[in-house]
Amino acid sequence: IERREGDFARGYDRAVHGESSYWVWVNRGKESIALDVKNREDLALLERLLARADVFIQNLAPGATARLGIGSAALRERHPRLITCDISGYGEDASAPAPGQDGGAPGMKAYDLLVQAESGLVSVSGAPGEWGRIGVSLCDINAGLNALVGIQQALMQRERTGRGSAVQVSLFGSAAELMSVPYLQTRYGGKAPQRVGLRHPSIAPYGAFTCADGREIVISIQNEREWADFCRVVLRRAALPSDPRCVDNAARVAHRDFVDGLVAEAFAALPSGALVDRLTEAQTAFGRVNSVHDLIEHPQLRTRRMPVGARSIDVPAVPWATEWDRETFPPAPALDEQGASIRREFA
């Protein structure tokens, strides 16, 4: 259901044959009807839609649906099997801060980058220096995934009880849950993790190193067996694990400059192909630092065709597989494309 002028995500860019990349990704296979929910007739149509719906998801400002008479509690009184999912910035019940006090209030607007900042995500991301945005809309995406998980649980609950229930998700809560490890480390360990770029704050060596040909490779050492094999095969220093600075992960983290310096020296002496051969022999986990262009050409990337207007595009496939998958994605709808047919169906 879109506003009369259309969802503003339609105008974020024109990268996909004139269409918004955000729109065609998120809305493939959906039907579109444009409604003005402040209009009595359109609101009545929405009520008729809800009478036959399984789930109602909305992300209007907190309290907006209640003022329209379609709040979660009121809807489930009229339609006991309905599952309602309210997505907000800081929670439907967020309390306004006292004067002069910081804090998310129900009326405080919440977009992805704002929540990345407000939740502290940017404080543990990227390299030292200027703050940096996480490169995808992580808070938006995670809130959507959390909404899906809650709705699935509510559907299972309805199978057992015959009744729908309410699901509430907030962008801030979704981001804060992602921050659980930094939160616990800081609150109970007394020290917040630092921004370390392509390094892991709690494990060493775990990060990016530059090869002789300029290619960067990220490696990850997860246990002492992997460290011993890495030292023997990749570094050609089989005795290194007995060095007091390298005997276990805690020691390596405490002496990160020493450890990373040895790894950087070894990588700088070899081209990436030779290093990949050694890493493979040692069974060391690694990944190349790829560009988006590298992703497009990646042999493991799976895509599906999708119509966009009179043309078609390749879109990354969903990261799960089912036996009822289709070979192509259905298109994202034009504004109000199914409006007339939906109005006839629910007249």
Side-chain angles (χ1 to χ4, degrees):
I1 297 170
E2 299 186 65
R3 62 191 74 199
R4 289 290 189 179
E5 65 272 23
D7 191 306
F8 51 68
R10 289 182 177 273
Y12 279 169
D13 61 48
R14 291 285 182 263
V16 186
H17 303 319
E19 297 289 337
S20 165
S21 53
Y22 293 83
W23 180 261
V24 300
W25 169 50
V26 173
N27 293 286
R28 59 190 180 225
K30 295 182 183 178
E31 295 184 344
S32 170
I33 182 171
L35 297 180
D36 177 3
V37 291
K38 294 182 180 179
N39 175 281
R40 184 180 300 176
E41 293 181 359
D42 281 3
L43 186 59
L45 173 58
L46 176 57
E47 281 278 6
R48 295 195 294 274
L49 285 164
L50 292 172
R52 290 162 56 183
D54 286 301
V55 182
F56 176 51
I57 306 173
Q58 66 85 22
N59 69 333
L60 299 177
T65 53
R67 289 190 294 273
L68 291 166
I70 52 172
S72 174
L75 282 176
R76 286 183 294 107
E77 280 189 17
R78 297 197 292 274
H79 313 293
R81 288 181 55 82
L82 182 67
I83 292 163
T84 58
C85 179
D86 300 315
I87 302 177
S88 63
Y90 291 93
E92 291 283 324
D93 57 351
S95 57
Q101 184 181 37
D102 291 336
M108 190 172 172
K109 290 186 176 181
Y111 300 124
D112 184 85
L113 181 53
L114 308 182
V115 177
Q116 286 191 26
E118 187 80 18
S119 66
L121 270 172
V122 295
S123 75
V124 298
S125 302
E130 185 178 354
W131 302 115
R133 171 187 177 270
I134 296 170
V136 295
S137 298
L138 184 65
C139 300
D140 287 343
I141 294 167
N142 193 47
L145 292 173
N146 287 336
L148 171 62
V149 172
I151 289 168
Q152 289 174 324
Q153 291 178 328
L155 286 167
M156 294 177 66
Q157 179 79 352
R158 191 177 69 180
E159 284 294 306
R160 295 172 176 165
T161 66
R163 296 188 63 84
S165 53
V167 176
Q168 291 192 353
V169 176
S170 75
L171 269 68
F172 181 82
S174 297
E177 198 277 332
L178 290 177
M179 286 286 290
S180 292
V181 169
Y183 168 92
L184 292 169
Q185 289 174 333
T186 305
R187 180 162 185 177
Y188 300 104
K191 184 178 180 181
Q194 301 299 302
R195 289 184 292 148
V196 292
L198 279 182
R199 295 287 190 272
H200 195 289
S202 307
I203 303 172
Y206 190 158
F209 298 91
T210 305
C211 305
D213 55 9
R215 194 69 195 263
E216 290 184 278
I217 295 178
V218 178
I219 63 165
S220 173
I221 300 297
Q222 293 289 319
N223 56 57
E224 300 315 307
R225 176 186 54 78
E226 290 183 356
W227 171 238
D229 290 341
F230 177 79
C231 291
R232 176 176 53 84
V233 177
V234 180
L235 301 184
R236 302 291 201 254
R237 300 181 61 140
L240 189 59
S242 61
D243 187 303
R245 296 166 291 187
C246 303
V247 292
D248 56 25
N249 181 67
R252 293 193 295 272
V253 171
H255 299 90
R256 185 189 297 274
D257 289 345
F258 170 73
V259 173
D260 284 356
L262 293 177
V263 178
E265 181 181 350
F267 274 52
L270 292 171
S272 57
L275 269 166
V276 166
D277 289 341
R278 288 193 185 184
L279 292 168
T280 302
E281 180 184 348
Q283 298 186 27
T284 300
F286 72 92
R288 302 168 183 86
V289 179
N290 282 338
S291 67
V292 180
H293 291 288
D294 293 326
L295 171 64
I296 292 171
E297 301 297 329
H298 202 290
Q300 293 304 119
L301 178 66
R302 299 292 179 262
T303 61
R304 292 192 203 172
R305 300 296 287 173
M306 175 180 168
V308 175
R311 306 172 73 175
S312 62
I313 62 172
D314 290 315
V315 182
V318 294
W320 61 86
T322 64
E323 60 185 28
W324 57 83
D325 282 342
R326 301 196 300 182
E327 293 184 0
T328 60
F329 285 126
L335 175 61
D336 202 40
E337 182 174 348
Q338 289 78 28
S341 61
I342 292 173
R343 289 176 185 277
R344 287 194 299 270
E345 182 181 354
F346 290 88

